[in-house]
Amino acid sequence: MSEERNGPKADELVASIEQLSSQIVASSPIYNFVLQNVQIEQASSGGVTALLPLTDRHSNSKAILHGSVTATLVDWIGGLVIAAASSSPLQAKRGVSLDIHISYIGAAKAGQDLRIEGRADKVGRSIAFIAVRLTAYDKGTNTNGRLVATATHNKFIA
């Protein structure tokens, strides 16, 4: 993350990204279902980090994080990262997906916190390249983190 994590500019950007996320979640049934309790932790012109407390709604039949939820999270954070790179995040175009590639590395389950970290590898005039990491933690801690998935997300933004 290229901007300082504390200070007025960082706080303003976090507030803008929180507001944008709330608007996106409220206007999309799938995002509303998956992201009801998501919290934006950090935002900079280079990335966004969020925390999602996992519940049964995020689980598949084996009681672990469903792959479609993972893909939804990658899509959502990709748009926020593009907005955060803009000079006006609330008015920024967030793009449409060209490609999402996910490597499922580990499992997460209800009762854990899932940290979603999105970073812009490049945001050009018409295409953005985003990298995403999902890490599961014991509820309410930053300990015993386990990498759940890594992803790349390319979006068309013209």
Side-chain angles (χ1 to χ4, degrees), residues 1-13 43-46 84:
M1 306 243 180
S2 60
E3 193 171 300
E4 289 182 32
R5 291 183 182 194
N6 297 317
K9 284 187 177 183
D11 291 345
E12 288 174 23
L13 184 56
S44 73
S45 61

Side-chain angles (χ1 to χ4, degrees), residues 34 36-39 51-58 109-116 139:
V34 171
Q36 283 184 357
N37 298 315
V38 72
Q39 303 160 350
L51 191 70
L52 178 66
L54 295 177
T55 66
D56 289 337
R57 76 175 42 225
H58 303 111
K109 59 185 177 186
Q112 292 182 309
D113 288 332
L114 187 68
R115 178 159 289 115
I116 308 146
K139 187 93 175 150

Side-chain angles (χ1 to χ4, degrees), residues 65 67 70-71 73-75 77 99-107 114-119 121 130-136 146-153:
L65 182 64
T70 301
L73 296 173
V74 170
D75 184 51
I77 200 86
D99 178 70
I100 295 177
H101 176 85
I102 301 171
S103 294
Y104 298 94
I105 297 167
L114 187 68
R115 178 159 289 115
I116 308 146
E117 300 173 271
R119 129 181 142 266
D121 288 335
I130 311 298
V132 180
R133 291 177 61 89
L134 283 75
T135 308
R146 182 174 24 197
L147 187 61
V148 174
T150 60
T152 57
H153 187 200

Side-chain angles (χ1 to χ4, degrees), residues 5-22:
R5 291 183 182 194
N6 297 317
K9 284 187 177 183
D11 291 345
E12 288 174 23
L13 184 56
V14 168
S16 292
I17 296 302
E18 285 175 341
Q19 183 179 351
L20 178 60
S21 178
S22 293

Side-chain angles (χ1 to χ4, degrees), residues 75-89:
D75 184 51
W76 166 80
I77 200 86
L80 293 182
V81 168
I82 292 168
S86 165
S87 59
S88 182

